[in-house]
Amino acid sequence: MRSELERYRFAVRATELVRAMAIIALTLGGSAARAESVQLDGRCLRVAFEVFGWGIGRIQGRFEDVWGTLDFDRRHVSSTRLRITASTQSIRTQSALVDAELRSTQFFDAVRFPQVSFESSGVELFAERAGTVTGVLEMRGVARSIRIPFELSSEIFKPSPSPSIPHLQANGTIRRSAWGMSALVPLISDDVKLDIRTGCSD
């Protein structure tokens, strides 16, 4: 049988083990708490595009009605996930005539396809605050994988007392014909530049 001293030593070691496990659990819990999931809307999300046409120069536009979700961990940027939806009826350029044409069946076909969406599937970093994001872009009922570069503002790495929306900018080029939008090619370029940004200005 164990002596009283042995039982006491065993009880002390068991208590120390429980305390150590509690500290580990709190530490892991604190790390997990760093992950932020924020809702995005038109105030903190921008989805814009740019195309070129012969004789008409550069056409710039954006979607006014956009929303989505950004899951972001400041310590593990590669785990970032972004989901975006935009209303095709909300498309805006500098011309009402161009807006109407873009909503027509030749382009976004806004009546049949009222939304376009993007959902990321992976992030690859090649620098501290830059990398590429891969995901699926769906337009006109066609879903295709795209890969576009992105940059992050250095501000996101500063401690924040509450969840905030990181400043992220992704710029890439797609061929609209891949989504069945081949009208007026090459009169209007097949290449479309995308500009996706998150983050709210103070």
Side-chain angles (χ1 to χ4, degrees):
M1 296 179 63
R2 294 179 177 177
S3 65
E4 290 295 329
L5 179 59
E6 289 176 330
R7 285 197 294 269
Y8 172 76
R9 288 174 176 171
F10 177 80
V12 170
R13 287 196 296 269
T15 302
E16 291 175 345
L17 178 61
V18 170
R19 287 177 178 173
M21 292 177 65
I23 291 173
I24 292 173
L26 288 172
T27 301
L28 293 176
S31 297
R34 294 178 182 272
E36 303 170 6
S37 182
V38 291
Q39 299 299 310
L40 304 171
D41 57 26
R43 296 169 300 174
C44 301
L45 173 63
R46 172 183 170 85
V47 180
F49 60 88
E50 180 180 282
V51 296
F52 288 86
W54 295 350
I56 55 178
R58 182 172 58 181
I59 301 173
Q60 293 178 311
R62 65 187 180 89
F63 297 92
E64 291 191 334
D65 188 9
V66 290
W67 63 95
T69 305
L70 177 63
D71 298 327
F72 187 79
D73 188 333
R74 296 170 193 271
R75 296 182 63 189
H76 305 286
V77 176
S78 60
S79 65
T80 297
R81 291 295 180 268
L82 177 63
R83 292 169 290 278
I84 297 174
T85 303
S87 166
T88 52
Q89 290 286 358
S90 72
I91 199 166
R92 293 291 183 275
T93 65
Q94 294 179 333
S95 168
L97 292 176
V98 173
D99 296 349
E101 185 66 18
L102 289 176
R103 297 188 196 108
S104 73
T105 55
Q106 289 197 96
F107 292 94
F108 284 95
D109 198 356
V111 173
R112 291 181 60 203
F113 305 104
Q115 295 178 351
V116 299
S117 65
F118 172 78
E119 182 168 354
S120 70
S121 56
V123 171
E124 182 180 353
L125 293 176
F126 54 73
E128 182 182 6
R129 299 193 301 271
T132 57
V133 57
T134 302
V136 174
L137 175 63
E138 184 171 351
M139 296 191 299
R140 293 173 57 97
V142 179
R144 294 190 181 278
S145 178
I146 64 172
R147 184 182 179 90
I148 54 178
F150 74 89
E151 292 183 355
L152 294 164
S153 167
S154 60
E155 295 296 315
I156 66 170
F157 297 101
K158 294 182 178 179
S160 174
S162 61
S164 57
I165 298 179
H167 287 257
L168 177 153
Q169 181 175 352
N171 298 101
T173 301
I174 63 170
R175 292 187 179 273
R176 58 187 176 93
S177 58
W179 284 265
M181 201 182 301
S182 56
L184 302 181
V185 174
L187 182 62
I188 297 177
S189 64
D190 193 11
D191 289 348
V192 179
K193 294 182 178 180
L194 299 179
D195 183 3
I196 301 172
R197 306 186 189 195
T198 69
C200 297
S201 301
D202 295 332

